[in-house]
Amino acid sequence: MISNKKKESSKAAILKRVKVNPEVAVIMGSKSDWIIMKEATLILKKFNVNFITKIISAHRTPQLMCDFAKNAEKKEMKIIIAGAGGSAHLPGMVASMTILPVLGVPIPTSFNSGLDSLLSIVQMPKGIPVSTFAVGKSGAINAALNAISILALNDALLKKSLTKYREDLSNSVLRMKIT
Ligand code: RP5
């Protein structure tokens, strides 16, 4: 049973969290990637994590990519989620210009359903890591959840919400019935 006092303080903490600067940047190589990357933003919204979204193409706007990566930390970003398909070196290039964690989401492409995107992102040579997730929507969702678990290291409220999310997942399986 949560006391009224406790309820108020957790409500205040949620309001305070909503006001903080964006902590996560969700970038993608093209508007065509949005259908996948939107899934990451829906998860961030659900957990009240402030974020920005930006289209940055590694091959069509290389200068923008450099400016963004070099300034992300100064702008108080903590984590970058980067989705890319055809020009899938985007997450690796961004990671080479910042020490912030970069979480890469391979976007499905017409070639081998996005296996090329996956390999481009996952096969980083040693020294510059990009955490790489599944191709497509599952990857976008898991990248956001991973960003949340990183932020939760220093945020008790977020940790609580993530624990609840996991419990809900387990319960949804326990409720499954084969008729
Ligand atoms: C990459 O090339 C994007 O990440 C996208 O997945 C792919 C195709 O881009 P569009 O031709 O749809 O703009 O830069």
Side-chain angles (χ1 to χ4, degrees):
M1 192 70 165
I2 305 172
S3 70
N4 278 346
K5 205 173 166 191
K6 261 196 175 167
K7 261 189 204 163
E8 273 168 28
S9 70
S10 89
K11 203 173 168 191
I14 289 171
L15 289 172
K16 201 172 161 206
R17 158 147 267 287
V18 171
K19 281 186 198 157
V20 299
N21 290 336
E23 299 162 297
V24 179
V26 180
I27 66 168
M28 62 213 85
S30 171
K31 192 176 176 187
S32 62
D33 300 334
W34 175 237
I35 190 164
I36 301 295
M37 298 310 288
K38 189 178 177 191
E39 300 293 327
T41 65
L42 294 176
I43 292 285
L44 295 171
K45 268 188 198 155
K46 188 183 171 92
F47 282 86
N48 282 328
V49 172
N50 255 339
F51 60 89
I52 58 146
T53 55
K54 206 167 176 55
I55 296 173
I56 300 176
S57 168
H59 65 301
R60 291 172 291 190
T61 60
Q63 194 55 53
L64 175 64
M65 175 184 67
C66 295
D67 293 344
F68 167 81
K70 287 180 180 165
N71 291 311
E73 208 184 337
K74 282 183 217 144
K75 291 190 173 163
E76 295 184 28
M77 293 293 155
K78 295 198 173 80
I79 299 165
I80 298 168
I81 299 176
S87 194
H89 44 280
L90 175 71
M93 290 300 296
V94 169
S96 74
M97 290 179 275
T98 179
I99 56 158
L100 294 177
V102 176
L103 316 184
V105 180
I107 303 291
T109 58
S110 53
F111 178 73
N112 263 347
S113 312
L115 183 62
D116 53 326
S117 319
L118 171 66
L119 295 178
S120 295
I121 298 174
V122 81
Q123 290 289 1
M124 281 297 286
K126 63 180 175 294
I128 307 291
V130 172
S131 307
T132 309
F133 293 83
V135 178
K137 290 185 178 177
S138 289
I141 290 168
N142 279 347
L145 288 168
N146 195 233
I148 289 161
S149 76
I150 296 169
L151 295 173
L153 290 170
N154 292 309
D155 188 320
L157 191 73
L158 216 42
K159 189 175 176 182
K160 223 171 162 181
S161 305
L162 195 54
T163 306
K164 173 79 173 57
Y165 177 87
R166 291 283 182 97
E167 283 167 9
D168 289 349
L169 268 187
S170 298
N171 288 334
S172 73
V173 174
L174 294 173
R175 278 196 303 272
M176 283 178 185
K177 283 199 172 80
I178 298 171
T179 50

